[in-house]
Coordinates of all heavy atoms in Angstrom, one line a residue:
R140 N -24.3 -13.2 7.3 CA -23.1 -13.9 7.7 C -22.7 -15.1 6.8 O -23.5 -16.0 6.5 CB -23.2 -14.5 9.1 CG -21.9 -15.2 9.6 CD -22.1 -15.8 11.0 NE -21.0 -16.7 11.3 CZ -19.9 -16.2 11.9 NH1 -19.8 -14.9 12.3 NH2 -18.8 -17.0 12.2
G143 N -18.6 -20.7 7.5 CA -17.2 -20.9 7.8 C -16.8 -20.2 9.1 O -17.5 -19.4 9.6
G144 N -15.6 -20.6 9.5 CA -15.2 -20.1 10.8 C -14.3 -18.9 10.7 O -13.9 -18.3 11.8
F145 N -13.9 -18.5 9.5 CA -13.0 -17.3 9.4 C -13.8 -16.0 9.1 O -13.7 -15.3 8.2 CB -12.0 -17.5 8.2 CG -10.8 -16.8 8.4 CD1 -9.7 -17.2 9.1 CD2 -10.6 -15.5 7.7 CE1 -8.5 -16.5 9.3 CE2 -9.4 -14.8 7.9 CZ -8.4 -15.3 8.6
V146 N -14.8 -15.8 10.1 CA -15.7 -14.7 9.9 C -15.8 -14.0 11.3 O -16.1 -14.7 12.3 CB -17.1 -15.1 9.4 CG1 -18.0 -13.9 9.3 CG2 -17.0 -15.9 8.1
P147 N -15.7 -12.7 11.4 CA -15.8 -12.0 12.7 C -17.3 -11.9 13.1 O -18.2 -12.0 12.3 CB -15.2 -10.7 12.5 CG -15.5 -10.4 11.0 CD -15.4 -11.7 10.3
P148 N -17.6 -11.7 14.4 CA -19.0 -11.5 14.8 C -19.5 -10.2 14.3 O -18.7 -9.2 14.1 CB -18.9 -11.5 16.3 CG -17.5 -11.1 16.6 CD -16.7 -11.7 15.5
L224 N 1.1 -14.7 11.5 CA 0.7 -15.9 12.2 C 0.8 -17.1 11.2 O 0.5 -16.9 10.0 CB -0.7 -15.8 12.7 CG -1.1 -14.7 13.6 CD1 -2.5 -14.8 14.1 CD2 -0.1 -14.6 14.8
F226 N -1.1 -19.7 9.9 CA -2.5 -20.2 9.8 C -2.8 -20.2 8.4 O -2.8 -19.1 7.7 CB -3.4 -19.4 10.7 CG -4.8 -19.9 10.7 CD1 -5.2 -20.8 11.7 CD2 -5.8 -19.6 9.7 CE1 -6.5 -21.3 11.8 CE2 -7.1 -20.1 9.8 CZ -7.4 -20.9 10.8
A228 N -5.3 -20.0 5.4 CA -6.7 -19.7 4.9 C -6.5 -18.9 3.6 O -7.1 -17.8 3.5 CB -7.4 -18.9 6.0
M231 N -9.6 -17.2 1.7 CA -10.6 -16.5 2.5 C -10.4 -15.0 2.2 O -9.3 -14.5 2.0 CB -10.5 -16.8 4.0 CG -10.7 -18.2 4.3 SD -12.4 -18.8 3.8 CE -13.4 -17.7 4.7
P232 N -11.5 -14.2 2.3 CA -11.4 -12.8 2.2 C -10.7 -12.2 3.4 O -10.8 -12.8 4.5 CB -12.9 -12.3 2.1 CG -13.7 -13.4 2.7 CD -12.9 -14.6 2.4
Q233 N -10.1 -11.1 3.2 CA -9.5 -10.4 4.4 C -10.6 -9.7 5.2 O -11.7 -9.5 4.7 CB -8.4 -9.4 4.0 CG -8.9 -8.3 3.1 CD -7.7 -7.5 2.6 OE1 -7.4 -6.4 3.1 NE2 -7.1 -7.9 1.5
I234 N -10.3 -9.4 6.4 CA -11.2 -8.8 7.4 C -10.7 -7.5 7.9 O -9.5 -7.4 8.2 CB -11.5 -9.8 8.5 CG1 -12.2 -11.1 8.1 CG2 -12.3 -9.2 9.7 CD1 -12.1 -12.2 9.0
F235 N -11.6 -6.5 8.0 CA -11.3 -5.3 8.6 C -12.4 -5.1 9.7 O -13.6 -4.9 9.3 CB -11.2 -4.1 7.7 CG -10.9 -2.8 8.4 CD1 -9.7 -2.6 9.0 CD2 -11.8 -1.8 8.5 CE1 -9.3 -1.5 9.6 CE2 -11.5 -0.6 9.1 CZ -10.3 -0.4 9.7
A236 N -12.0 -5.1 10.9 CA -13.0 -4.9 12.0 C -12.3 -4.4 13.3 O -11.2 -4.8 13.5 CB -13.7 -6.3 12.3
V239 N -8.7 -3.5 13.1 CA -7.7 -4.5 12.8 C -7.8 -5.1 11.4 O -8.9 -5.4 11.0 CB -7.8 -5.7 13.8 CG1 -6.7 -6.7 13.6 CG2 -7.8 -5.1 15.3
I241 N -7.0 -8.2 9.1 CA -6.6 -9.6 9.2 C -6.6 -10.1 7.8 O -7.6 -10.2 7.1 CB -7.7 -10.4 10.0 CG1 -7.8 -9.8 11.4 CG2 -7.3 -11.9 10.1 CD1 -8.9 -10.5 12.3
V242 N -5.4 -10.4 7.3 CA -5.2 -10.7 5.9 C -4.6 -12.0 5.6 O -3.4 -12.3 5.9 CB -4.2 -9.6 5.3 CG1 -4.1 -9.8 3.7 CG2 -4.8 -8.2 5.5
P243 N -5.3 -13.0 5.2 CA -4.8 -14.3 4.8 C -3.9 -14.2 3.6 O -4.3 -13.6 2.6 CB -6.0 -15.2 4.6 CG -7.2 -14.4 5.1 CD -6.8 -13.0 5.0
V249 N -1.2 -15.6 8.0 CA -2.2 -14.6 8.2 C -1.5 -13.4 8.8 O -0.9 -13.5 9.9 CB -3.4 -15.0 9.1 CG1 -4.3 -13.8 9.3 CG2 -4.2 -16.1 8.4
I251 N -1.5 -9.7 10.6 CA -2.4 -8.9 11.6 C -1.7 -7.5 11.7 O -0.5 -7.4 12.0 CB -2.4 -9.5 13.0 CG1 -2.8 -11.0 12.9 CG2 -3.3 -8.7 13.9 CD1 -4.2 -11.3 12.4
L273 N -3.0 -8.5 18.5 CA -3.1 -9.9 18.3 C -4.3 -10.4 19.2 O -5.0 -11.3 18.7 CB -1.8 -10.6 18.8 CG -0.6 -10.4 17.8 CD1 0.7 -10.8 18.4 CD2 -0.9 -11.2 16.5
T274 N -4.5 -9.9 20.4 CA -5.6 -10.3 21.2 C -6.9 -10.0 20.5 O -7.8 -10.8 20.5 CB -5.5 -9.6 22.6 OG1 -4.3 -10.0 23.2 CG2 -6.7 -9.9 23.4
R275 N -7.0 -8.8 19.9 CA -8.3 -8.4 19.3 C -8.5 -9.3 18.0 O -9.6 -9.7 17.7 CB -8.2 -6.9 18.9 CG -8.2 -6.0 20.0 CD -8.9 -4.7 19.8 NE -8.4 -3.9 18.6 CZ -7.3 -3.2 18.6 NH1 -6.5 -3.0 19.6 NH2 -7.0 -2.5 17.5
A276 N -7.4 -9.6 17.3 CA -7.6 -10.5 16.1 C -8.2 -11.9 16.5 O -9.1 -12.4 15.8 CB -6.3 -10.6 15.4
V277 N -7.7 -12.4 17.6 CA -8.2 -13.7 18.0 C -9.6 -13.6 18.5 O -10.5 -14.5 18.3 CB -7.3 -14.3 19.1 CG1 -7.9 -15.6 19.7 CG2 -5.9 -14.7 18.5
E278 N -10.0 -12.5 19.2 CA -11.4 -12.3 19.6 C -12.3 -12.2 18.3 O -13.4 -12.7 18.4 CB -11.5 -11.0 20.4 CG -10.8 -11.1 21.8 CD -10.8 -9.8 22.5 OE1 -11.0 -8.7 21.8 OE2 -10.4 -9.8 23.7
L279 N -11.8 -11.6 17.3 CA -12.6 -11.5 16.1 C -12.7 -12.8 15.3 O -13.8 -13.1 14.7 CB -12.0 -10.4 15.2 CG -12.1 -8.9 15.7 CD1 -11.2 -8.0 14.9 CD2 -13.6 -8.4 15.6
V280 N -11.6 -13.5 15.3 CA -11.6 -14.8 14.5 C -11.0 -15.9 15.5 O -9.8 -16.1 15.5 CB -10.7 -14.7 13.2 CG1 -10.7 -16.0 12.5 CG2 -11.2 -13.6 12.4
P281 N -11.9 -16.5 16.3 CA -11.4 -17.5 17.3 C -10.6 -18.6 16.6 O -9.8 -19.2 17.3 CB -12.7 -18.0 17.9 CG -13.6 -16.8 17.8 CD -13.3 -16.2 16.4
A282 N -10.8 -18.9 15.4 CA -10.0 -19.9 14.7 C -8.5 -19.7 14.8 O -7.7 -20.6 14.6 CB -10.4 -20.1 13.2
L283 N -8.1 -18.4 15.0 CA -6.7 -18.1 15.0 C -6.1 -18.4 16.4 O -4.9 -18.3 16.6 CB -6.5 -16.5 14.8 CG -6.9 -16.1 13.4 CD1 -6.8 -14.6 13.3 CD2 -5.9 -16.7 12.3
F284 N -6.9 -18.8 17.4 CA -6.4 -19.1 18.7 C -5.3 -20.2 18.6 O -5.6 -21.3 18.0 CB -7.5 -19.5 19.6 CG -7.0 -19.9 21.0 CD1 -6.7 -18.9 21.9 CD2 -6.8 -21.2 21.4 CE1 -6.3 -19.2 23.2 CE2 -6.4 -21.5 22.7 CZ -6.1 -20.5 23.6
G285 N -4.2 -20.0 19.2 CA -3.1 -20.9 19.2 C -2.2 -20.9 18.0 O -1.2 -21.6 18.0
A286 N -2.6 -20.1 17.0 CA -1.7 -20.0 15.8 C -0.4 -19.4 16.2 O -0.4 -18.4 16.9 CB -2.4 -19.2 14.7

Side-chain angles (χ1 to χ4, degrees):
R140 179 184 174 89
F145 205 84
V146 181
L224 304 184
F226 186 91
M231 297 304 296
Q233 61 188 261
I234 292 164
F235 181 67
V239 182
I241 303 174
V242 184
V249 173
I251 309 297
L273 290 168
T274 297
R275 297 211 304 277
V277 172
E278 290 171 350
L279 290 166
V280 182
L283 295 174
F284 180 79

